[in-house]
């Protein structure tokens, strides 16, 4: 009797818990949260924010450069991803001059750099996270595998190496006659 009950319970669990639903579409959009949505701001909250706003603005507002063009991230490469990986390569070479390649995740570049003055705030908008420069040694086989992974994702920000990604996300050698890697 106990075995029959356990068997019946197992059958009920494995057949009744299956979902008959299937995702057919996902729709999303960005919703900017700004003062348009705050018709009557809370005075106490505003006072707390205002105490810090002046200090933060004074730290984030200094002009550090000028950008001649709009730069946004994208795949397989973009001005922004190329610039970010070039900056990483130059920064890494300050620790170790033998560093030859830098890679940055395009998804981590969170905002474009617009034409005009660049401020510290501009840089924090592009890199809003506590990013870390990580140095590692890769042999040729592992570097090739990393480049294959980048090809599968159809590109990332890279510096110090040139790759060719085919339309079917394969890595192709630039030297005549060597085919795919």
């Amino acid at each position: 009797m106990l075995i029959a009950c356990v068997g019946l319970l197992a059958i009920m669990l494995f057949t009744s818990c299956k979902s008959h639903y299937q995702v057919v579409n996902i729709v999303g959009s960005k919703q900017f949260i700004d003062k348009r949505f705050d018709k009557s701001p809370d005075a106490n909250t505003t006072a707390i924010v205002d105490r810090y706003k002046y200090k933060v603005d004074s730290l984030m507002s200094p002009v550090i450069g000028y950008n001649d063009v709009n730069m946004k991230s994208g795949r397989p490469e973009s001005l922004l991803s190329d610039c970010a990986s070039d900056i990483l390569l130059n920064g890494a070479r300050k620790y170790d001059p033998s560093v030859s390649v830098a890679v940055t995740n395009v998804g981590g570049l969170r905002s474009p750099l617009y034409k005009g003055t660049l401020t510290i705030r501009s840089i924090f908008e592009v890199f809003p996270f506590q990013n870390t420069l990580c140095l590692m040694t890769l042999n040729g086989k592992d570097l090739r595998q990393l480049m294959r992974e980048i090809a599968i994702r159809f590109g990332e920000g890279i510096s110090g190496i040139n790759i060719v990604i085919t339309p079917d996300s394969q890595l192709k050698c630039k030297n005549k006659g060597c085919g795919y890697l």
Side-chain angles (χ1 to χ4, degrees):
M1 179 72 174
L2 180 60
I3 294 175
C5 289
V6 170
L8 180 60
L9 181 61
I11 290 171
M12 288 174 49
L13 281 175
F14 291 114
T15 59
S16 64
C17 294
K18 290 183 180 179
S19 173
H20 302 289
Y21 298 102
Q22 180 179 354
V23 176
V24 290
N25 191 14
I26 297 174
V27 178
S29 64
K30 289 184 179 180
Q31 182 63 57
F32 293 100
I33 306 297
D34 58 22
K35 61 184 171 187
R36 291 179 290 171
F37 296 98
D38 197 0
K39 300 293 183 201
S40 55
D42 178 70
N44 291 332
T45 304
T46 301
I48 292 169
V49 170
D50 285 346
R51 282 193 312 203
Y52 297 99
K53 186 174 180 351
Y54 175 77
K55 179 70 172 173
V56 170
D57 285 347
S58 69
L59 294 171
M60 301 296 266
S61 298
V63 174
I64 57 173
Y66 184 83
N67 200 16
D68 290 333
V69 296
N70 287 327
M71 300 170 71
K72 40 185 212 173
S73 66
R75 289 190 166 93
E77 67 178 325
S78 65
L79 286 176
L80 185 58
S81 62
D82 287 347
C83 179
S85 55
D86 288 347
I87 290 168
L88 290 173
L89 183 58
N90 288 329
R93 285 180 174 161
K94 290 179 181 176
Y95 293 99
D96 181 351
S98 70
V99 173
S100 56
V101 176
V103 177
T104 189
N105 174 5
V106 171
L109 305 174
R110 299 302 228 189
S111 175
L113 277 178
Y114 296 105
K115 180 179 179 176
T117 57
L118 294 176
T119 63
I120 293 173
R121 177 178 276 111
S122 307
I123 304 306
F124 272 92
E125 288 171 351
V126 174
F127 300 103
F129 309 111
Q130 291 183 356
N131 294 294
T132 302
L133 180 63
C134 177
L135 303 181
M136 62 178 64
T137 301
L138 297 176
N139 61 34
K141 179 182 174 187
D142 292 337
L143 180 60
R144 186 177 299 125
Q145 182 60 37
L146 173 62
M147 294 302 118
R148 282 190 189 119
E149 294 296 326
I150 289 173
I152 289 168
R153 296 176 57 89
F154 204 62
E156 293 290 355
I158 60 173
S159 182
I161 191 170
N162 293 314
I163 63 173
V164 175
I165 301 172
T166 65
D168 61 343
S169 296
Q170 296 294 311
L171 191 61
K172 188 172 181 181
C173 179
K174 289 186 85 167
N175 298 331
K176 188 175 183 180
C178 72
Y180 295 95
L181 297 177

